[in-house]
Amino acid sequence: MKSKLSTIAISISLAMLWATPAHATDLLQAYRMAQDSDPTFASARYTLDAARQKIPQARASLLPSASATANDGNTRADTAFTDVPPVDRNMKAWGWNLQLTQPLLRLGTVYAYRESSYLVEQAEAQFEQAKQDLLLRVAQAYFGVIVAQDAIAAADAQVAALTQQLAQVTRGFQQGTHAQTDIDDTKSRLGSAKSQRVGAQNDLENARADLEKVTGKPYDQGTEQLAILQPTLTPPPPSPADSRAWIAQARTNHPLVRAQHAALEAARQEIKKNRSDHLPTLDLVGNVGSNYSSHSLTTPDDFSTRATQHEIGLQLTVPIYSGGAINSKVTEAIANMNKAEADMEAASRQASTDAQQAFAGVTNGLAQIEALNVAVESGLSAVKGNRVGYKLGIRINIDVLNAEQQLFTAQRDLSKARYETLLQGFKLKAAAGVLSETDLKAVNAMLQ
């Protein structure tokens, strides 16, 4: 009867470990909340919106510009002329002018426009990196909560099993069939299990804080559960199954690599733009205006004047000397270009390293999952066999305790390995620059 109760207790513990929550928030819902509330992602989105305005600003220098001026005034003065007594004279004058300028030859503005396109391309790549980073942060925080919950479930099951075992050996000691060392050993393991339970609870609190930070929503374990990975599913292997293909793609397609490549092209246009400051500029300038004066303050004749002007012409500006500022700007731009080349190479190397590490994380994780599945199945059989052997007197208390501890450790490690492998799969695609919401939906379909 005691053996049956022990088997039932283990089954209940396993059911707690892989239980399906009734009302669960899934991974996709958590990602949606993070998109709406994460301040880091919002900052990246606003940065992109601001960067996109560089193109119309640069284009404006290539388009016509118009300006208008006007004046209207009254002048009161005392005038004196030869052989004429001084008189008070009031004069009214007004005028207006409209000027239109169309750039014809300004290479600097052309290069500035090209540079703005590359700067926007850089900002878009950086925003793509921000989207991938948000997805990774959500997945890591989400999986972290589930792994912590599974660790608590395993610790609770171990505490329950050890509590039952302690009661059994205590009764055996009272009946003279067990030694004091059996009680002491069981108590020691029970204390250690309770300590691990406290540590697991602390890990869960930290994981909840991380999830709340990225989603902006408080997480209450008592009223809300997270959808978990179905126990029969195994994370998919990487496709293609060649690490070199992933590394090669990462070196060119990682968002930060693409951002640095755009920055390099923008730096090259900046050099051309600064060098063009040595060249002449040519504009088409047109003016139209009118001026009116009621009379003159300097002559006694009392007559009004009104003049209208229309003019159109070419304006050529030839820079001669600027104190060495242009040469200095060119030198600065060349240094910035060299820096951009170095930054792009650094980003490319980092991307290849990330891809290599993530690929190894997926493949090794799958192997670890396979081994831990065998360990859990064997652990269940070992616990059952040792309990039966303990009842028959062919096993001792320490054998039962060791079998239970190995089982619970394997269960905890299996849960961690499954979610860590999923996360490494996300990191692998992020390194290759292909991680998207579609991948999130595919993993979300594995949850229950």
Side-chain angles (χ1 to χ4, degrees):
M1 184 63 181
K2 291 181 181 179
S3 178
K4 291 182 179 180
L5 289 175
S6 300
T7 304
I8 293 174
I10 295 175
S11 301
I12 293 175
S13 300
L14 291 174
M16 291 173 57
L17 186 62
W18 305 110
T20 302
H23 301 285
T25 297
D26 60 26
L27 182 60
L28 187 59
Q29 291 172 338
Y31 180 63
R32 291 280 185 262
M33 289 186 288
Q35 283 181 313
D36 295 334
S37 64
D38 183 66
T40 302
F41 182 70
S43 175
R45 183 171 57 247
Y46 294 135
T47 300
L48 175 61
D49 292 341
R52 283 174 174 167
Q53 298 306 311
K54 294 183 180 297
I55 291 180
Q57 291 171 9
R59 187 192 299 121
S61 299
L62 299 171
L63 301 178
S65 61
S67 63
T69 59
N71 62 82
D72 186 10
N74 293 297
T75 303
R76 180 180 180 87
D78 294 332
T79 59
F81 301 98
T82 304
D83 300 329
V84 177
V87 296
D88 294 337
R89 299 177 63 86
N90 294 329
M91 186 186 73
K92 180 176 179 61
W94 55 262
W96 61 270
N97 184 73
L98 177 64
Q99 178 174 300
L100 178 67
T101 303
Q102 170 60 60
L104 297 180
L105 182 61
R106 289 188 181 181
L107 291 180
T109 57
V110 175
Y111 294 134
Y113 179 72
R114 294 177 181 175
E115 181 183 5
S116 68
S117 300
Y118 287 118
L119 291 176
V120 173
E121 182 180 337
Q122 178 189 15
E124 289 176 345
Q126 290 171 339
F127 181 67
E128 183 65 26
Q129 172 64 23
K131 289 197 294 185
Q132 293 194 162
D133 178 68
L134 178 66
L135 196 152
L136 288 175
R137 286 189 290 119
V138 170
Q140 186 169 6
Y142 186 94
F143 294 157
V145 173
I146 298 177
V147 169
Q149 289 176 342
D150 288 348
I152 288 179
D156 287 339
Q158 187 173 10
V159 169
L162 287 170
T163 301
Q164 183 187 44
Q165 186 71 8
L166 179 60
Q168 187 173 352
V169 296
T170 301
R171 288 192 298 269
F173 176 75
Q174 294 172 350
Q175 296 171 1
T177 59
H178 289 79
Q180 179 66 40
T181 55
D182 293 334
I183 296 179
D184 295 339
D185 193 14
T186 306
K187 284 184 177 180
S188 175
R189 291 175 181 263
L190 179 58
S192 178
K194 289 181 178 180
S195 176
Q196 293 177 1
R197 172 63 170 79
V198 174
Q201 181 65 39
N202 184 68
D203 292 340
L204 177 59
E205 295 298 331
N206 293 335
R208 287 179 188 169
D210 290 338
L211 185 59
E212 292 174 4
K213 177 182 177 181
V214 70
T215 61
K217 178 183 177 182
Y219 172 71
D220 185 2
Q221 186 182 13
T223 60
E224 182 179 5
Q225 296 293 324
L226 300 181
I228 63 174
L229 187 64
Q230 299 179 35
T232 57
L233 291 181
T234 299
S239 179
D242 182 8
S243 63
R244 292 173 297 179
W246 288 98
I247 293 173
Q249 187 173 7
R251 287 188 63 88
T252 58
N253 198 53
H254 192 283
L256 292 184
V257 176
R258 290 189 279 115
Q260 291 300 330
H261 180 268
L264 175 60
E265 294 300 326
R268 289 170 176 166
Q269 297 301 318
E270 179 70 14
I271 295 175
K272 295 179 180 179
K273 183 183 72 173
N274 289 328
R275 283 175 174 167
S276 68
D277 289 341
H278 287 294
L279 303 176
T281 60
L282 182 64
D283 299 328
L284 177 65
V285 180
N287 284 283
V288 59
S290 179
N291 294 279
Y292 169 79
S293 176
S294 59
H295 50 263
S296 174
L297 295 176
T298 59
T299 63
D301 297 323
D302 196 5
F303 60 89
S304 62
T305 60
R306 180 170 183 173
T308 301
Q309 61 180 13
H310 299 81
E311 63 179 33
I312 186 170
L314 296 175
Q315 179 176 301
L316 178 66
T317 303
V318 180
I320 297 177
Y321 183 66
S322 60
I326 297 177
N327 292 334
S328 177
K329 289 181 179 180
V330 171
T331 303
E332 179 187 11
I334 293 175
N336 288 332
M337 183 193 69
N338 293 333
K339 177 182 180 300
E341 287 181 340
D343 290 342
M344 186 178 71
E345 179 61 23
S348 179
R349 293 183 184 183
Q350 184 61 50
S352 63
T353 300
D354 293 342
Q356 186 175 9
Q357 292 176 346
F359 186 88
V362 175
T363 53
N364 293 336
L366 292 173
Q368 187 179 23
I369 290 172
E370 183 179 359
L372 287 172
N373 275 323
V374 175
V376 169
E377 293 177 1
S378 301
L380 288 170
S381 300
V383 170
K384 182 178 180 180
N386 276 279
R387 283 190 170 273
V388 172
Y390 179 73
K391 180 180 179 181
L392 297 176
I394 58 177
R395 293 290 182 184
I396 60 176
N397 182 59
I398 191 66
D399 295 328
V400 177
L401 297 180
N402 288 336
E404 289 177 345
Q405 184 174 3
Q406 291 176 359
L407 171 62
F408 295 131
T409 300
Q411 290 173 339
R412 182 196 61 201
D413 293 345
L414 176 59
S415 171
K416 183 178 181 181
R418 295 169 82 222
Y419 290 106
E420 180 63 25
T421 303
L422 283 176
L423 184 61
Q424 290 297 326
F426 281 157
K427 290 183 177 180
L428 178 60
K429 291 190 174 183
V434 296
L435 181 63
S436 66
E437 189 174 314
T438 302
D439 302 302
L440 190 72
K441 290 180 180 178
V443 171
N444 196 65
M446 301 179 185
L447 306 180
Q448 64 180 11

